[in-house]
Amino acid sequence: MTNLKHWTRWFKKKTPDKKLSPKTGKTEAGYTYIMSDLHGCFDELNAMLAKIGFSDQDKLILAGDYIDRGSQNYEMLCWMEQVPQNILLLRGNHEEEFLCYLELLLAVQEKRQLVMDESSSKDLEHLYQETKNLIEQHNRQTEQIRVFDHYGTLEELITEQCTSMADLRRWAARMEAMPYFCRFSLPERECVVVHAGYLEQFPTAGLTGKYTCVEDFYLRAREDAYLAGGIENGMIVAGHTPTLSKDYMMYNGGLVYQHYDPQKNCLYYDIDCGCSYRTVRANARLACLCAETGAIYYL
């Protein structure tokens, strides 16, 4: 009970030594807001920014997975190219998969010795179909199933937005520049924002064979993020696992999942509340956490 009381007191604390704006109630230095797993929900992103009154004095950290599932992947990709300096984009597993798909397209182009106009959407469409056919042929001939463009995002971009190879290369370069995590100091804790999970030492006992490298843990950890990850006297904010899913310990009916590890004195948040499922799940939401105050906003 003592630990829970300590946690509650921490949430209720105001940010010290900063004046509040009479207009917005924010500190003059602004707040740090965190969201994750937008998955093509571009309108919802903008609606949340309006709801929290996001300004140039604030900072926004997005913890990966900007594309797939949702209907506004193109809008999200274009926005990612021109975000202002007070918005930090971290890498998620869906960005990693996008990079793998592009690598596969380029490998097929080289193997087939296809001459491409990189500004031509028709040439990219031809390469896409060639690659898709090769994968389907491989899957028919072997027992190993390879997945290509699982959510149909590439096909949507090519057929509906006339995307070219030059576009894919530009978006891929933006994704490759995304860090896997960021770390910053709060008044009482170190905070790490990451897509799935964070741990300081790898390999770690109990994780051998489950993850190929520490970056794999950053991108794909689920329960292990809470059972094996974390930092002493810290706070981990992640997404990746929708809190809509009853299959995982982070299930919370579509609300932000909160966990406290008394041994490490570490707070954990899962802020993926399944926004991209809003058309099929009534309790799916976009969540936003304010790091300094602990306030959680829903849309």
Side-chain angles (χ1 to χ4, degrees):
M1 182 61 70
T2 302
N3 288 324
L4 290 177
K5 286 182 178 178
H6 172 78
W7 191 10
T8 303
R9 286 198 303 270
W10 181 83
F11 277 128
K12 290 182 177 179
K13 279 191 175 184
K14 298 290 186 181
T15 305
D17 303 324
K18 293 182 181 179
K19 290 184 178 180
L20 293 179
S21 162
K23 292 183 179 179
T24 65
K26 290 184 181 181
T27 64
E28 290 179 342
Y31 287 147
T32 305
Y33 296 100
I34 309 168
M35 289 184 260
S36 187
D37 295 85
L38 293 166
H39 286 297
C41 297
F42 185 65
D43 286 346
E44 288 83 351
L45 166 63
N46 285 303
M48 180 62 82
L49 293 178
K51 181 171 185 175
I52 63 177
F54 187 72
S55 71
D56 293 341
Q57 285 70 46
D58 298 317
K59 184 173 183 178
L60 174 64
I61 303 172
L62 296 176
D65 281 9
Y66 310 96
I67 58 172
D68 298 333
R69 293 199 182 100
S71 61
Q72 294 177 295
N73 296 298
Y74 178 74
E75 291 84 351
M76 190 68 70
L77 288 163
C78 292
W79 176 80
M80 284 165 46
E81 293 186 85
Q82 52 189 354
V83 294
Q85 291 186 344
N86 61 331
I87 297 180
L88 175 62
L89 305 181
L90 302 179
R91 191 184 303 201
N93 61 295
H94 284 251
E95 286 70 62
E96 197 83 352
E97 289 160 12
F98 182 95
L99 294 172
C100 290
Y101 295 155
L102 176 57
E103 185 178 355
L104 181 57
L105 286 169
L106 294 172
V108 172
Q109 179 191 359
E110 181 178 2
K111 185 176 182 64
R112 295 292 202 219
Q113 297 182 333
L114 300 175
V115 178
M116 281 189 64
D117 175 358
E118 295 219 344
S119 65
S120 168
S121 61
K122 291 296 182 185
D123 283 7
L124 179 57
E125 184 174 6
H126 175 70
L127 176 59
Y128 175 89
Q129 290 300 331
E130 187 79 9
T131 305
K132 190 173 182 179
N133 291 340
L134 280 174
I135 295 296
E136 290 174 352
Q137 181 181 356
H138 171 273
N139 291 342
R140 286 194 298 269
Q141 294 175 349
T142 68
E143 295 182 358
Q144 183 180 7
I145 301 299
R146 295 186 183 274
V147 176
F148 175 66
D149 194 24
H150 178 66
Y151 295 93
T153 300
L154 284 179
E155 186 172 21
E156 168 203 316
L157 292 169
I158 295 167
T159 59
E160 296 182 16
Q161 303 297 337
C162 298
T163 296
S164 68
M165 178 61 78
D167 295 321
L168 296 188
R169 285 187 185 275
R170 197 172 63 253
W171 294 327
R174 183 68 187 86
M175 293 175 187
E176 286 175 340
M178 293 175 183
Y180 288 97
F181 67 89
C182 72
R183 185 167 180 161
F184 58 94
S185 296
L186 293 170
E188 288 193 341
R189 297 180 180 275
E190 281 289 297
C191 180
V192 174
V193 183
V194 66
H195 180 61
Y198 181 83
L199 75 174
E200 295 188 299
Q201 294 184 346
F202 185 87
T204 300
L207 301 181
T208 305
K210 296 180 72 174
Y211 305 95
T212 58
C213 56
V214 69
E215 290 81 9
D216 198 26
F217 190 90
Y218 297 153
L219 294 175
R220 303 182 190 281
R222 296 195 189 273
E223 283 94 343
D224 288 333
Y226 301 83
L227 302 176
I231 54 176
E232 297 287 336
N233 304 312
M235 183 170 89
I236 309 296
V237 184
H240 184 53
T241 304
T243 63
L244 294 167
S245 177
K246 295 182 179 180
D247 296 332
Y248 301 103
M249 65 177 278
M250 296 79 86
Y251 172 71
N252 195 28
L255 298 174
V256 167
Y257 173 79
Q258 302 171 27
H259 175 75
Y260 178 67
D261 181 345
Q263 291 184 328
K264 292 181 178 177
N265 185 27
C266 187
L267 306 174
Y268 298 81
Y269 291 88
D270 180 351
I271 60 172
D272 177 7
C273 296
C275 182
S276 61
Y277 297 102
R278 292 180 74 178
T279 57
V280 294
R281 297 286 297 274
N283 57 341
R285 303 171 177 88
L286 178 62
C288 178
L289 170 71
C290 179
E292 288 83 3
T293 68
I296 299 172
Y297 304 86
Y298 292 104
L299 186 70

